[in-house]
Amino acid sequence: MKTKLSFESFFRSETKKTYFHELMKKLEIEYKNYQVFPKKGDLFNAIKITDFDNLKIVIIGQDPYHQEGQADGLAFSTKAKILPPSLKNLFEEIKNSYPDFSKKDGNLKNWAKQGVLLLNIVLSVRKSSPNSHANIGWEIFSYNLIKFIVENKVDIIFLLLGQKAKTSVENVNFEKQKVFFYSHPSPFSFAKSLKHSDVFKKINIFLKQKNQSEINWNL
């Protein structure tokens, strides 16, 4: 009997692989000896909250926010009262396309529920130490997840934000998907190509063309 494909079935299959066991061992040590974000229970929120059947968009970032109370397991999302600069810039770009945009909080769970997979290439980080969990196995997990999506779906929109996001998927065949690549929304690179790109409107135009419901970025 054919198993129904889901993020859960993907995850189950990854947990049986050697690299994943090694990754979990390394993480155990990291959580024990350092302050690590997000909380253990939030690590896989992106694939817990977004439903595979309803998947429309994959937004790919780098690694989680590395300060206290920010990272929540969804790329760019935060429960913190003060928005991190990257998210502020994303909101500025949405407002550029949709002047009525008025979202003030940084919790992007409602984007995820609408079919937006908010995926960081690396899913954890040590406090105050960006990229500290690069090359411990997360890149394999993310690559396998992206491959799983492109092999089982068509017309998924991939928004790659920053060079790391682009590099991490350079061997993926996106022939049947729609890809946008822009600079990362951090203050250092936002203006390079993401600012005034209208990408959030372009995403909704594409969804409309495919008879899919548009994303309400304001939620």
Side-chain angles (χ1 to χ4, degrees):
M1 194 175 133
K2 199 179 172 199
T3 321
K4 187 180 180 302
L5 289 176
S6 64
F7 284 133
E8 203 180 322
S9 66
F10 161 79
F11 186 76
R12 273 200 309 270
S13 123
E14 291 303 293
T15 59
K16 294 171 185 156
K17 297 177 181 176
T18 307
Y19 90 86
F20 193 89
H21 293 165
E22 293 302 318
L23 168 61
M24 290 301 118
K25 277 182 207 164
K26 286 171 193 164
L27 277 180
E28 227 15 83
I29 295 163
E30 286 289 307
Y31 274 101
K32 196 175 168 185
N33 296 312
Y34 301 93
Q35 201 166 355
V36 173
F37 305 125
K39 291 185 299 191
K40 266 189 202 173
D42 288 342
L43 278 172
F44 299 102
N45 274 354
I47 56 173
K48 278 184 195 166
I49 298 168
T50 308
D51 178 35
F52 185 69
D53 288 338
N54 186 40
L55 182 67
K56 296 171 180 170
I57 304 158
V58 182
I59 298 180
I60 303 179
Q62 298 177 357
D63 65 341
Y65 299 126
H66 53 84
Q67 296 303 341
E68 190 93 44
Q70 291 183 325
D72 63 5
L74 302 174
F76 300 108
S77 177
T78 185
K79 288 173 186 160
K81 294 274 188 288
I82 297 166
L83 300 185
S86 293
L87 186 56
K88 253 181 161 159
N89 286 336
L90 282 181
F91 282 4
E92 184 188 315
E93 184 47 39
I94 296 171
K95 197 165 178 65
N96 178 49
S97 295
Y98 297 100
D100 291 341
F101 178 78
S102 60
K103 186 171 170 63
K104 294 283 185 282
D105 71 281
N107 186 343
L108 305 182
K109 197 181 268 189
N110 284 326
W111 290 11
K113 287 177 177 173
Q114 291 179 80
V116 183
L117 181 69
L118 294 155
L119 178 69
N120 279 315
I121 291 303
V122 172
L123 273 66
S124 60
V125 69
R126 271 186 210 169
K127 183 182 179 178
S128 304
S129 189
N131 290 318
S132 46
H133 284 183
N135 306 314
I136 65 167
W138 283 126
E139 291 86 351
I140 303 169
F141 178 83
S142 302
Y143 181 79
N144 289 353
L145 175 57
I146 291 160
K147 262 186 74 176
F148 173 76
I149 293 166
V150 300
E151 284 168 5
N152 294 293
K153 293 272 191 185
V154 295
D155 294 330
I156 297 297
I157 301 163
F158 284 84
L159 173 56
L160 315 179
L161 293 174
Q163 199 54 46
K164 276 193 181 138
K166 190 184 183 187
T167 310
S168 67
V169 296
E170 56 193 10
N171 296 319
V172 177
N173 180 1
F174 286 112
E175 210 178 302
K176 295 177 179 174
Q177 320 302 332
K178 175 74 176 170
V179 179
F180 293 106
F181 167 61
Y182 291 104
S183 55
H184 194 273
S186 77
F188 307 106
S189 48
F190 177 49
K192 286 181 188 168
S193 63
L194 181 59
K195 192 175 184 178
H196 300 307
S197 64
D198 263 341
V199 69
F200 292 96
K201 189 173 261 185
K202 288 173 184 170
I203 284 170
N204 274 338
I205 288 168
F206 182 81
L207 289 172
K208 208 170 178 182
Q209 286 167 351
K210 298 292 170 184
N211 298 315
Q212 297 235 51
S213 54
E214 297 173 47
I215 302 299
N216 181 349
W217 304 110
N218 224 9
L219 290 177

